Amino acid sequence: MERQVQRLRQAFRSGRSRPLRFRQQQLEGLCRMVQEREKDIVEALAADLSKSALNAYSHEIISILGEIDFMLRNLSDLASAKPAKKNLLTMMDEVYVQPEPLGVVLIIGAWNYPFVLTMQPLVGAIAAGNAVIVKPSELSENTAKLLAKLLPQYVDQDLYAVINGGVEETTELLKQRFDHILYTGNTAVGKIVMEAAAKHLTPVTLELGGKSPCYIDKDCDLDVACRRITWGKYMNCGQTCIAPDYVLCEASLQDQIVQKIKETVKDFYGENIKASPDYERIINLRHFKRIHSLLEGQKIAFGGETDEATCYIEEIFGPILPIVPVKNVDEAINFINDREKPLALYVFSRNNKLIKRMIDETSSGGVTGNDVIMHFTVNSLPFGGVGSSGMGAYHGKYSFDTFSHQRPCLLKSLKGESVNKLRYPPNSQSKVSWAKFFLLKQFKKEKLQLLLLMFVGVVTAVVVKVNQSSVVVTKAKWPRKPKLLQEFADFWSKSLKL
Amino acid sequence: MSATGTVSEPSLGMDSFDSFEDTLRRLREAFKAGQTRPVEFRVAQLQGLGHFLGANKQLLQDALAEDLGKSPFESDISEIILCQNEVDLAIKSLQTWMKDEPVATNLLTKLSSAFIRKEPFGLVIIIAPWNYPLNLMIMPLVGAIAAGNCVLLKPSEISKNTEKLAELLPQYLDQSCFAVVLGGPEETGQLLEHKFDYIFFTGSPRVGKIVMAAAAKHLTPITLELGGKNPCYVDDSCDPQTVANRVAWFRYFNAGQTCVAPDYILCSQEMQERLLPALQSAILRFYGDDPKTSPNLGRIINQKHFKRLQGLLGCGRVAIGGQSEESERYIAPTVLVDVQETDPVMQEEIFGPILPLLTVKNLEEAIDFINRREKPLALYAFSNNSRVNQVLDCTSSGGFGGNDGFLYLTLSAMPLGGI
């Protein structure tokens, strides 16, 4: 494994992944892969999660295509140097922040959306100019195998590689040195990843999970709310990191909500949910058993039927939606704040003030108001967690930035050395006043100020060399003294001691 | 700005590690109650910081002189003024920084409003180093306060005199939201066992790893400002005196104890021969015949580092300087030549007034040399032609200075960080 990482590092060092044209070609290769092999991808997802072709396309494939399209359209803009505001001292210099690739990036995927959660970060890492190792989750076996087979056929094999394996292989992989690690998964393993990263001081982006609360206000269209929540909750059989995990509402609403969700589930999946092609399955037996045990001792309002043979579960995390009654919004807010910060927060209400209040008084990775999940689809919004739901973010520009180093650059010329005498020892108090002036004033590009600067530059050089009388004469020539010039006058009288 | 503390607080708002748990709890509760959120509160705290700097300027200069032999000039331009500037900038820009950032929506979400909300993390701990003990404590503090967090400050115990002044800080801030904690490595280790919502650490890579490992246990996001050996490439096309002036100034500032100082020079043999007299001339001009008596040259922070640096003086050959005086922790502005890559002076960040010159055949060899080593915090290249850009394109570093030293730090519009 060390050899593989070394190989990628050498390839990165050669500089091949940097030119924009190369990055574009790789991204186009990825795009072709998704389009040409759609059938294979959909089959793998069906095998792993019983995902229907339609769901696979709308949940996973569309996001990738959107992300690739974004990168291709914006690559030159994202990768270009961004000029920064100068101060007086650096007025004539080039001042900018240059985005650069980090080096070799490790992306560890998850099993619930095995395709998009490895590919979307990959798109960002490639766009930023890095070499990448992808480690898909071994739980979604078919997708993992497929990625290992397909990727080398469509992108540069020396710069991008897929490594498959279980806990042992991943642990070995984490011993190697990377320049960034993006991990999607659970909190416990997130800590292990960060600890391993600490040994090499590798920055990390951790997309973890949490219990995303969903508050339903009494002033809202319950039909619409329940429909949207049902959609978000039961998609992928509840195995979505940003699914509404539990509902908070006033007790009086509880029965209505249950009724409406029941109706919506029937609308979506039919009377016999198990037979619906749109309803997925739990990833494996271990999770099935875990979720099944959550049902024990709970008051089931509806659902609860399970079939171990096919890992079919209705309404449990996954597809279990607990409804927790609260007295009012204050109690809801306290309930949420007493717990770990979630990856997402949902609020349903016609009252915008209430929504704003919930946002103001709680914290979460992201928020969708009056809907669920959707903030994930807006790639101008950074997607990530906070607290135990994660750190860092990606999607769109944020992917590019996550996988780049923003390098500040100040390029001066070797001329103009006389101005530098200000800073060289032996020091004096007057030099401090000068330094204060030069360092602290920021400039907009206005002709008058530029002229003033040139004037100052010339006079400074002169003042350092000539005697007092000339300075006094120059000063007397000024017709009036705006504030800026007044400061000059003050400095000059002090500078006589220079 | 006077502090408002509860009755059980020690009068200086400074806590020993016994009541440490109480301090953390107090700060967390204040944050949970939403005290630090309103913009008026944040501005008031920032103004309090400004008062601290203004009211104690002389004391701060004295403390920095005691700790590091810093001249008032150095203290002003590298610490006090920069901090004041940061405070002013934050006060001026706070409303803008706090604003929700609207973003583009896609077709599916066209009828919705999409925006990014800036939120405080919660309880932030800032661990400061000893070399710019005021700057590297106050600058991150400004950011943390502006963002609406509660902050626990851990100033460096090595810069003792500045540490004492840091204890005054809570008097200028709301003590229910801000506190200072004192202690050494052991206490800091205990501190980091607790959960914070953000850790800001400035110091050595070795301790950086320890901090990150501790942060991993709580999944705490961190910013690590570490160090490295910052290379300085000098092209043949330069005027040696200009280069020497600039490099010498940045190297010997704060007696070399600057994380972004040029650590070593890479140049051709011919350039080395021209640089040496130019460096000699610059040192003479800056610090006089006997640099030990110059008020403009700082001192090494403590015995441990003094001895470490004294040891490095034996590497290669001393071309300029080389004197040292234990009682004063004084090391002369020194230039070493005939240094091998394997010498101790090239194995660790020097962090002292010693400048090794290494010769390379050409630009390619220099770039290769730089890329073989760990990515530095800063990289410098001096050239009269586009070579500077070549170095920039082929290397990686935290920041980059072309034809000058770490002046880019003074530009608050540019990010300061490592890689």
Side-chain angles (χ1 to χ4, degrees), chain A residues 13 96 102 177 187 191 194 199 202 338 341 360 363 374 377 380 382 398 405 407-415 417 420 423-427 440, chain B residues 32 73 85 103-104 106 108 116-117 119 121 209 212 216-217 219-220 242 245-246 249 285-286 296 371 374-375 392 395 397-398 400 402-404 415:
Chain A
R13 281 273 288 266
Y96 60 91
L102 290 166
R177 183 176 181 180
T187 305
K191 292 184 183 178
M194 190 169 172
K199 296 204 165 62
T202 301
D338 277 339
K341 295 177 188 178
D360 286 343
S363 185
M374 294 308 287
T377 69
S380 51
Y398 298 93
H405 169 56
R407 189 180 190 192
C409 302
L410 169 60
L411 302 185
K412 297 177 70 75
S413 108
L414 285 167
K415 304 191 182 69
E417 186 61 0
N420 276 347
R423 67 191 193 199
Y424 298 145
N427 307 133
L440 302 191
Chain B
K32 218 172 153 188
F73 177 75
N85 187 32
V103 298
N106 52 27
L108 213 58
I116 300 174
R117 159 63 56 96
E119 304 185 331
F121 280 103
K209 292 182 182 178
M212 188 168 173
K217 297 204 162 58
L219 285 173
T220 303
T242 306
N245 290 346
R246 297 178 183 191
W249 192 74
R285 202 178 101 205
F286 294 172
N296 299 306
N371 284 340
E374 288 299 326
K375 293 179 189 179
L392 186 55
T395 60
S397 66
F400 183 90
N403 289 327
D404 212 337

Coordinates of all heavy atoms in Angstrom, one line a residue, chain A residues 13 96 102 177 187 191 194 199 202 338 341 360 363 374 377 380 382 398 405 407-415 417 420 423-427 440, chain B residues 32 73 85 103-104 106 108 116-117 119 121 209 212 216-217 219-220 242 245-246 249 285-286 296 371 374-375 392 395 397-398 400 402-404 415:
Chain A
R13 N 4.2 14.7 -8.1 CA 5.4 15.6 -8.2 C 5.8 15.9 -9.6 O 6.4 17.0 -9.8 CB 6.5 14.8 -7.5 CG 6.5 14.9 -6.0 CD 7.2 16.1 -5.4 NE 8.6 16.0 -5.5 CZ 9.4 15.6 -4.6 NH1 9.0 15.2 -3.5 NH2 10.7 15.5 -4.8
Y96 N -1.7 38.7 -4.2 CA -2.8 37.8 -4.6 C -2.7 36.5 -3.8 O -1.7 36.1 -3.2 CB -2.7 37.5 -6.1 CG -1.5 36.8 -6.6 CD1 -1.3 35.5 -6.6 CD2 -0.4 37.6 -7.0 CE1 -0.2 34.9 -7.1 CE2 0.8 37.0 -7.4 CZ 0.9 35.6 -7.5 OH 2.0 35.1 -7.9
L102 N -3.1 20.2 -3.1 CA -2.5 19.8 -1.9 C -1.5 18.7 -2.1 O -0.4 18.7 -1.5 CB -3.6 19.4 -0.9 CG -4.4 20.5 -0.3 CD1 -5.6 20.0 0.4 CD2 -3.6 21.4 0.6
R177 N 0.9 8.5 4.6 CA 0.8 10.0 4.7 C 0.0 10.5 3.5 O 0.4 10.3 2.4 CB 2.2 10.6 4.7 CG 2.1 12.1 5.0 CD 3.4 12.7 5.1 NE 3.3 14.1 5.3 CZ 4.3 14.9 5.5 NH1 5.5 14.4 5.4 NH2 4.0 16.2 5.7
T187 N -19.5 8.8 13.5 CA -18.7 9.6 14.4 C -17.5 8.8 15.0 O -16.4 9.3 15.1 CB -19.6 10.1 15.5 OG1 -20.7 10.8 14.9 CG2 -18.8 11.0 16.4
K191 N -13.4 9.7 14.5 CA -12.4 10.0 15.5 C -11.1 9.2 15.1 O -10.0 9.7 15.2 CB -12.8 9.6 16.9 CG -13.9 10.5 17.4 CD -14.4 10.2 18.8 CE -15.5 11.1 19.2 NZ -16.0 10.9 20.5
M194 N -9.4 10.9 12.2 CA -8.7 12.1 12.6 C -7.4 11.8 13.5 O -6.4 12.5 13.3 CB -9.6 13.0 13.4 CG -9.0 14.4 13.6 SD -10.3 15.6 14.3 CE -9.3 17.0 14.7
K199 N -1.2 12.1 13.2 CA 0.2 11.6 13.2 C 1.0 12.3 12.1 O 2.2 12.4 12.1 CB 0.3 10.1 13.1 CG -0.3 9.4 14.3 CD 0.2 8.0 14.5 CE -0.2 7.5 15.9 NZ -1.6 7.4 16.1
T202 N -2.2 15.7 8.9 CA -3.0 15.8 7.7 C -4.4 16.5 8.0 O -5.1 16.0 8.9 CB -3.3 14.4 7.1 OG1 -2.0 13.8 6.9 CG2 -4.1 14.5 5.8
D338 N -29.8 20.5 23.7 CA -29.3 19.6 24.7 C -28.5 18.4 24.1 O -27.8 17.8 24.8 CB -30.5 19.0 25.5 CG -30.9 19.9 26.6 OD1 -30.1 20.8 27.0 OD2 -32.0 19.8 27.1
K341 N -24.7 18.5 18.1 CA -25.1 19.2 16.9 C -25.4 18.3 15.7 O -24.5 17.5 15.4 CB -24.0 20.3 16.5 CG -23.8 21.3 17.5 CD -22.7 22.3 17.2 CE -22.4 23.2 18.3 NZ -21.2 24.1 18.0
D360 N -31.5 30.9 14.3 CA -30.7 31.7 15.2 C -30.3 31.0 16.5 O -29.2 31.2 17.0 CB -31.4 33.0 15.6 CG -31.5 34.0 14.4 OD1 -30.7 33.8 13.5 OD2 -32.3 34.9 14.5
S363 N -27.8 25.1 16.3 CA -26.7 25.0 15.4 C -26.8 23.6 14.7 O -27.2 22.6 15.3 CB -25.4 25.1 16.1 OG -24.3 25.1 15.2
M374 N -33.1 19.1 0.7 CA -32.9 19.8 -0.5 C -31.6 20.7 -0.4 O -31.1 21.0 -1.5 CB -34.1 20.7 -0.8 CG -35.3 19.9 -1.3 SD -34.9 18.7 -2.5 CE -34.7 19.8 -3.9
T377 N -28.8 19.7 -2.5 CA -28.8 19.7 -4.0 C -28.3 21.1 -4.5 O -28.1 21.3 -5.7 CB -30.2 19.5 -4.5 OG1 -31.0 20.6 -4.1 CG2 -30.8 18.2 -4.0
S380 N -24.1 25.6 -4.6 CA -23.5 26.8 -4.2 C -23.5 26.9 -2.7 O -22.9 27.8 -2.1 CB -24.2 28.0 -4.8 OG -25.6 27.9 -4.5
P382 N -22.2 25.2 0.9 CA -21.2 24.2 1.4 C -22.0 23.1 2.2 O -22.9 23.4 2.9 CB -20.4 25.0 2.4 CG -21.2 26.2 2.8 CD -22.2 26.5 1.7
Y398 N -16.9 24.7 -2.8 CA -16.3 24.3 -1.6 C -15.5 23.1 -1.7 O -14.6 22.8 -0.9 CB -17.4 24.2 -0.5 CG -18.1 25.5 -0.3 CD1 -19.2 25.9 -1.0 CD2 -17.5 26.5 0.5 CE1 -19.8 27.2 -0.9 CE2 -18.1 27.7 0.7 CZ -19.2 28.1 -0.1 OH -19.7 29.3 0.0
H405 N -4.8 24.5 -1.4 CA -4.2 25.4 -0.5 C -4.3 26.8 -1.1 O -3.9 27.0 -2.2 CB -2.8 25.0 -0.2 CG -2.0 26.0 0.6 ND1 -2.4 26.4 1.8 CD2 -0.9 26.7 0.3 CE1 -1.6 27.3 2.3 NE2 -0.7 27.5 1.4
R407 N -2.7 30.0 -1.2 CA -1.4 30.5 -0.9 C -1.2 31.9 -1.1 O -1.3 32.4 -2.3 CB -0.4 29.7 -1.8 CG 1.1 29.9 -1.5 CD 1.9 29.0 -2.4 NE 3.3 28.9 -2.1 CZ 4.2 28.4 -3.0 NH1 3.8 28.0 -4.2 NH2 5.4 28.4 -2.7
P408 N -1.0 32.7 -0.1 CA -0.9 34.2 -0.3 C 0.5 34.5 -0.8 O 1.5 33.9 -0.4 CB -1.0 34.7 1.2 CG -0.6 33.6 2.1 CD -0.8 32.3 1.3
C409 N 0.6 35.4 -1.8 CA 1.8 35.7 -2.5 C 2.0 37.2 -2.6 O 1.1 38.0 -2.9 CB 1.8 35.2 -3.9 SG 1.6 33.4 -4.0
L410 N 3.2 37.7 -2.2 CA 3.5 39.1 -2.3 C 4.7 39.2 -3.2 O 5.8 38.7 -2.8 CB 3.7 39.7 -0.9 CG 4.3 41.1 -0.9 CD1 3.4 42.1 -1.6 CD2 4.6 41.6 0.5
L411 N 4.6 39.8 -4.4 CA 5.8 39.9 -5.2 C 6.2 41.3 -5.4 O 5.4 42.2 -5.9 CB 5.4 39.3 -6.6 CG 4.9 37.9 -6.7 CD1 4.8 37.4 -8.1 CD2 5.9 37.0 -6.0
K412 N 7.3 41.6 -4.8 CA 7.8 43.0 -4.9 C 8.9 43.1 -6.0 O 9.3 42.1 -6.6 CB 8.4 43.4 -3.6 CG 7.4 43.5 -2.5 CD 8.1 43.8 -1.1 CE 8.6 45.2 -1.1 NZ 7.5 46.2 -0.9
S413 N 9.5 44.3 -6.2 CA 10.6 44.4 -7.1 C 11.8 44.7 -6.2 O 11.7 45.1 -5.1 CB 10.3 45.4 -8.1 OG 11.1 46.6 -7.9
L414 N 13.0 44.5 -6.8 CA 14.2 44.8 -6.1 C 14.5 46.3 -6.0 O 15.4 46.7 -5.4 CB 15.4 44.0 -6.6 CG 15.3 42.5 -6.3 CD1 16.3 41.8 -7.1 CD2 15.6 42.3 -4.8
K415 N 13.7 47.1 -6.7 CA 13.9 48.5 -6.7 C 13.2 49.1 -5.5 O 12.5 48.4 -4.8 CB 13.4 49.1 -8.0 CG 13.9 48.5 -9.3 CD 13.6 49.4 -10.5 CE 14.1 48.8 -11.8 NZ 13.4 47.5 -12.1
E417 N 14.5 50.5 -2.9 CA 15.1 50.1 -1.6 C 15.1 51.2 -0.6 O 15.1 51.0 0.6 CB 16.5 49.6 -1.9 CG 17.2 49.0 -0.7 CD 16.5 47.8 -0.1 OE1 15.5 47.4 -0.6 OE2 17.0 47.3 0.9
N420 N 12.6 51.2 2.0 CA 12.8 50.2 3.0 C 13.6 50.7 4.2 O 13.6 50.1 5.2 CB 13.5 49.0 2.4 CG 12.5 48.1 1.8 OD1 11.3 48.2 2.0 ND2 12.9 47.1 1.0
R423 N 12.3 50.7 7.7 CA 12.2 49.6 8.6 C 13.5 49.1 9.2 O 13.5 48.4 10.2 CB 11.4 48.5 8.0 CG 12.2 47.8 6.8 CD 11.3 46.9 6.0 NE 12.2 46.1 5.2 CZ 11.7 45.4 4.1 NH1 10.4 45.5 3.8 NH2 12.5 44.7 3.4
Y424 N 14.6 49.5 8.5 CA 15.9 48.9 9.0 C 16.3 49.6 10.3 O 16.2 50.8 10.4 CB 17.0 49.1 7.9 CG 16.7 48.4 6.6 CD1 17.0 48.9 5.4 CD2 16.0 47.1 6.7 CE1 16.8 48.2 4.2 CE2 15.7 46.4 5.5 CZ 16.1 46.9 4.3 OH 15.9 46.3 3.1
P425 N 17.0 48.9 11.1 CA 17.6 49.5 12.3 C 18.7 50.4 11.8 O 19.2 50.2 10.7 CB 18.2 48.4 13.1 CG 17.6 47.1 12.5 CD 17.2 47.4 11.1
P426 N 19.3 51.4 12.6 CA 18.9 51.7 13.9 C 17.5 52.3 13.9 O 17.1 53.1 13.0 CB 19.9 52.7 14.4 CG 20.9 52.8 13.3 CD 20.4 52.2 12.1
N427 N 16.7 52.0 14.9 CA 15.3 52.5 14.9 C 15.1 53.8 15.6 O 16.0 54.2 16.3 CB 14.4 51.4 15.6 CG 14.6 50.0 15.0 OD1 14.8 49.1 15.7 ND2 14.6 49.9 13.7
L440 N -1.0 50.6 8.0 CA -2.4 50.5 8.4 C -3.4 51.0 7.4 O -4.6 50.6 7.4 CB -2.6 51.2 9.7 CG -1.8 50.7 10.8 CD1 -2.2 51.3 12.2 CD2 -1.9 49.2 10.9
Chain B
K32 N -24.2 29.2 25.8 CA -25.6 28.6 25.5 C -26.7 29.7 25.7 O -27.7 29.7 25.0 CB -25.8 27.5 26.5 CG -26.5 26.3 25.9 CD -26.5 25.1 26.9 CE -27.8 24.3 26.5 NZ -28.1 23.2 27.4
F73 N 10.6 49.6 18.9 CA 10.2 49.6 17.5 C 9.7 48.3 17.1 O 8.6 48.2 16.5 CB 11.5 50.0 16.7 CG 11.2 49.9 15.2 CD1 10.5 51.0 14.6 CD2 11.7 48.9 14.4 CE1 10.3 50.9 13.2 CE2 11.5 48.9 13.0 CZ 10.8 49.9 12.4
N85 N -4.6 47.2 14.8 CA -5.1 47.2 13.5 C -6.2 46.2 13.3 O -7.2 46.4 12.7 CB -4.0 47.0 12.5 CG -4.4 47.2 11.0 OD1 -5.3 48.0 10.8 ND2 -3.8 46.4 10.1
V103 N -26.6 32.8 -1.9 CA -26.0 32.0 -2.9 C -26.9 31.8 -4.1 O -28.1 31.9 -3.9 CB -25.5 30.7 -2.4 CG1 -24.4 30.9 -1.3 CG2 -26.6 29.8 -1.9
A104 N -26.3 31.3 -5.2 CA -27.1 31.1 -6.4 C -28.0 29.8 -6.1 O -27.6 28.9 -5.5 CB -26.2 30.8 -7.6
N106 N -30.5 26.7 -7.8 CA -30.7 26.0 -9.1 C -32.2 26.0 -9.4 O -33.0 26.6 -8.7 CB -30.2 24.5 -9.0 CG -30.8 23.8 -7.8 OD1 -31.8 24.1 -7.3 ND2 -30.0 22.8 -7.3
L108 N -34.5 23.9 -9.4 CA -35.4 23.2 -8.4 C -35.6 24.1 -7.2 O -36.7 24.0 -6.5 CB -34.7 21.9 -8.0 CG -35.5 20.7 -7.6 CD1 -36.4 20.4 -8.8 CD2 -34.6 19.6 -7.3
I116 N -25.8 31.3 3.3 CA -24.9 30.7 4.3 C -25.0 31.6 5.5 O -24.8 32.8 5.5 CB -23.5 30.7 3.7 CG1 -23.5 29.8 2.4 CG2 -22.5 30.1 4.7 CD1 -22.2 29.8 1.7
R117 N -25.2 30.9 6.6 CA -25.3 31.6 7.9 C -24.0 31.4 8.7 O -23.6 30.2 8.9 CB -26.5 31.0 8.7 CG -26.5 31.2 10.2 CD -26.6 32.7 10.6 NE -27.7 33.3 10.0 CZ -28.9 33.5 10.6 NH1 -29.0 33.0 11.9 NH2 -29.8 34.1 10.1
E119 N -21.9 31.1 12.0 CA -22.3 30.9 13.4 C -21.0 30.7 14.2 O -20.0 30.2 13.7 CB -23.1 29.6 13.5 CG -24.3 29.5 12.7 CD -25.0 28.2 13.1 OE1 -24.4 27.2 13.5 OE2 -26.2 28.2 13.0
F121 N -18.7 28.8 16.8 CA -18.5 27.4 17.2 C -19.0 27.1 18.6 O -19.6 26.1 18.9 CB -17.1 26.9 17.0 CG -16.7 26.6 15.6 CD1 -15.9 27.5 14.9 CD2 -17.1 25.5 15.0 CE1 -15.5 27.3 13.6 CE2 -16.7 25.2 13.7 CZ -15.9 26.1 13.0
K209 N 1.1 17.9 16.5 CA 0.6 16.5 16.4 C -0.2 16.1 17.7 O -1.2 15.5 17.6 CB 1.7 15.5 16.1 CG 2.3 15.7 14.7 CD 3.4 14.7 14.4 CE 3.9 15.0 13.0 NZ 5.0 14.1 12.6
M212 N -3.5 17.9 17.8 CA -4.5 17.3 16.8 C -5.0 16.0 17.3 O -6.2 15.7 17.2 CB -3.9 17.2 15.4 CG -4.9 16.8 14.4 SD -4.2 17.0 12.7 CE -5.6 16.2 11.7
A216 N -8.8 15.0 18.1 CA -9.5 13.9 17.4 C -10.4 13.2 18.3 O -11.5 12.7 17.9 CB -8.5 13.0 16.8
K217 N -10.0 13.1 19.6 CA -10.9 12.4 20.5 C -12.3 13.0 20.7 O -13.2 12.4 21.0 CB -10.2 12.3 21.9 CG -8.9 11.5 21.8 CD -8.5 10.9 23.2 CE -7.5 9.8 23.0 NZ -6.2 10.2 22.3
L219 N -13.4 15.1 18.2 CA -13.8 15.6 16.8 C -13.8 17.1 16.8 O -14.8 17.7 16.3 CB -15.1 15.0 16.4 CG -15.0 13.6 15.9 CD1 -16.4 13.0 15.7 CD2 -14.2 13.4 14.7
T220 N -12.8 17.8 17.4 CA -12.8 19.2 17.5 C -12.1 19.8 16.3 O -10.9 19.4 16.0 CB -12.1 19.7 18.7 OG1 -12.8 19.2 19.9 CG2 -12.1 21.2 18.8
T242 N 20.8 44.9 -1.9 CA 19.3 45.0 -1.7 C 18.9 43.7 -1.1 O 18.1 43.7 -0.1 CB 18.6 45.2 -3.0 OG1 19.1 46.4 -3.7 CG2 17.1 45.4 -2.8
N245 N 20.1 43.4 2.5 CA 19.4 44.3 3.4 C 18.1 43.6 3.8 O 17.7 43.5 5.0 CB 19.0 45.6 2.8 CG 20.2 46.5 2.6 OD1 21.2 46.2 3.1 ND2 20.0 47.5 1.8
R246 N 17.3 43.1 2.8 CA 16.0 42.6 3.1 C 16.1 41.3 3.9 O 15.4 41.1 4.9 CB 15.2 42.4 1.8 CG 15.0 43.7 1.1 CD 14.3 43.6 -0.2 NE 14.2 45.0 -0.8 CZ 13.4 45.3 -1.9 NH1 12.7 44.3 -2.4 NH2 13.4 46.5 -2.3
W249 N 17.3 41.8 7.5 CA 16.3 42.4 8.3 C 15.3 41.4 8.8 O 15.0 41.3 10.0 CB 15.6 43.5 7.6 CG 14.7 44.3 8.5 CD1 15.2 45.2 9.4 CD2 13.3 44.3 8.6 NE1 14.1 45.8 10.1 CE2 13.0 45.2 9.6 CE3 12.3 43.6 8.0 CZ2 11.7 45.4 10.0 CZ3 11.0 43.8 8.4 CH2 10.7 44.7 9.4
R285 N 25.4 48.0 9.5 CA 24.5 49.2 9.4 C 23.4 49.1 10.4 O 23.0 50.0 11.1 CB 24.0 49.4 8.0 CG 23.6 50.8 7.8 CD 23.1 50.9 6.4 NE 21.6 50.9 6.4 CZ 20.9 50.5 5.4 NH1 21.4 50.1 4.3 NH2 19.5 50.6 5.5
F286 N 22.8 47.9 10.5 CA 21.7 47.7 11.4 C 22.0 47.7 12.9 O 21.3 48.3 13.7 CB 20.9 46.4 11.1 CG 20.3 46.3 9.8 CD1 19.8 45.1 9.4 CD2 20.2 47.4 8.9 CE1 19.2 45.0 8.1 CE2 19.6 47.3 7.7 CZ 19.1 46.0 7.3
N296 N 18.7 47.4 19.1 CA 17.8 46.9 18.1 C 17.8 45.4 17.9 O 17.1 44.9 17.1 CB 18.0 47.6 16.8 CG 17.8 49.1 16.9 OD1 16.8 49.6 17.4 ND2 18.9 49.9 16.6
N371 N 11.8 21.0 -2.8 CA 10.7 20.0 -2.9 C 11.0 18.7 -2.2 O 10.1 17.9 -1.9 CB 10.3 19.7 -4.3 CG 9.5 20.9 -4.9 OD1 8.9 21.7 -4.1 ND2 9.5 21.0 -6.2
E374 N 10.1 19.0 3.7 CA 8.8 19.3 4.2 C 8.3 20.7 3.7 O 9.1 21.6 3.5 CB 8.7 19.3 5.7 CG 8.9 18.0 6.4 CD 7.8 17.1 6.0 OE1 6.6 17.5 5.8 OE2 8.1 15.9 5.9
K375 N 7.0 20.8 3.4 CA 6.5 22.1 2.9 C 6.7 23.1 4.1 O 6.3 22.9 5.2 CB 5.0 21.9 2.6 CG 4.8 21.0 1.4 CD 3.3 20.9 1.2 CE 3.1 19.8 0.1 NZ 1.6 19.6 -0.2
L392 N 7.6 29.9 -7.7 CA 6.3 29.9 -7.2 C 5.5 28.7 -7.8 O 4.8 28.0 -7.0 CB 5.6 31.2 -7.6 CG 4.2 31.5 -7.0 CD1 4.2 31.4 -5.5 CD2 3.8 32.9 -7.4
T395 N 6.8 24.9 -6.5 CA 6.9 24.6 -5.1 C 5.6 24.8 -4.4 O 4.7 25.3 -4.9 CB 8.0 25.5 -4.4 OG1 7.5 26.8 -4.5 CG2 9.3 25.3 -5.0
S397 N 4.1 26.1 -0.4 CA 4.4 26.6 0.9 C 3.2 27.3 1.5 O 2.3 27.6 0.8 CB 5.6 27.6 0.8 OG 5.1 28.8 0.1
G398 N 3.3 27.6 2.8 CA 2.1 28.3 3.4 C 1.9 29.6 2.6 O 0.8 29.9 2.1
F400 N 4.1 33.0 0.3 CA 5.2 33.3 -0.6 C 5.5 34.7 -0.7 O 4.7 35.6 -0.8 CB 4.9 32.8 -2.0 CG 6.0 32.9 -3.0 CD1 6.9 31.9 -3.2 CD2 6.1 34.0 -3.8 CE1 7.9 32.0 -4.1 CE2 7.2 34.2 -4.7 CZ 8.1 33.1 -4.8
G402 N 8.0 37.4 -2.8 CA 8.9 37.5 -3.9 C 9.7 38.8 -3.7 O 9.2 39.9 -3.5
N403 N 11.0 38.7 -3.7 CA 11.9 39.8 -3.5 C 11.7 40.6 -2.2 O 12.1 41.8 -2.1 CB 11.7 40.8 -4.7 CG 12.3 40.3 -6.0 OD1 13.3 39.5 -6.0 ND2 11.7 40.5 -7.1
D404 N 11.2 39.9 -1.2 CA 11.2 40.5 0.1 C 10.9 39.4 1.1 O 10.7 38.3 0.8 CB 10.1 41.6 0.2 CG 10.5 42.7 1.1 OD1 11.4 42.5 2.0 OD2 10.0 43.8 1.0
P415 N -4.8 35.5 3.7 CA -4.8 34.5 4.8 C -3.4 34.1 5.2 O -2.5 34.1 4.4 CB -5.5 33.3 4.1 CG -5.1 33.4 2.7 CD -5.1 34.9 2.4

